[in-house]
Amino acid sequence: MLILVESIAMCFVLLIICVIGIANGPVGCVYFYEPEVQEKVVKLGLTTKEKMKRDYSIAGIALFVPILFLVPAMVYFINGARGFWEVFIQITLILWAMGLFDRIFIDWYWVGKTKAWIIPGTEELMPYIPPKTLIKKWVGTIIGYPILAAILSGVISLI
């Protein structure tokens, strides 16, 4: 039950980052888009490369600090997980839940099926998440997150 609550909390962290990012329009999260879209948005004068880089750094910190510190802390201190495999399984489950939320709700539904992420002047570059990128994201979720969980579990096991 705790893992479910923690998974929902991490999905909420991701959602909040996106909501804040696009609060003044989808250009606020253009760093998540393909390079062609980013270039077009800069060319249209909607943002600058410097602003995208700064915003990307802020979003990266806001996302990866919870992934790298909050998730292991929840698993270790709240759930009481000990030993590599117990920690690994719990971290993997939390990250997979967050990844599935990202792939299904954010990528497929919110970006792909609503108008919230459409940047005027870039419609010809849609879909914003092309199949090749979508495959990379799914591989990152399915394979990358367990690798990250293994690294975090190894670090926790050493402590």
Side-chain angles (χ1 to χ4, degrees), residues 11-12 14-15 96-107:
C11 292
F12 186 72
L14 178 59
L15 180 64
W96 270 348
M98 187 181 74
L100 288 173
F101 176 78
D102 192 7
R103 299 294 74 79
I104 295 168
F105 176 75
I106 294 177
D107 290 349

Side-chain angles (χ1 to χ4, degrees), residues 79-150:
N79 300 2
R82 300 295 183 268
F84 177 86
W85 288 108
E86 188 178 7
V87 172
F88 169 76
I89 290 168
Q90 290 188 29
I91 290 175
T92 298
L93 290 173
I94 293 168
L95 295 180
W96 270 348
M98 187 181 74
L100 288 173
F101 176 78
D102 192 7
R103 299 294 74 79
I104 295 168
F105 176 75
I106 294 177
D107 290 349
W108 178 79
Y109 176 72
W110 199 13
V111 175
K113 304 288 183 199
T114 73
K115 295 180 182 181
W117 291 80
I118 295 175
I119 301 172
T122 66
E123 293 87 353
E124 77 278 4
L125 299 171
M126 293 174 73
Y128 290 128
I129 306 172
K132 185 177 178 181
T133 300
L134 194 56
I135 290 168
K136 288 179 187 176
K137 287 179 159 215
W138 274 103
V139 168
T141 297
I142 295 168
I143 298 171
Y145 279 161
I147 291 170
L148 178 58

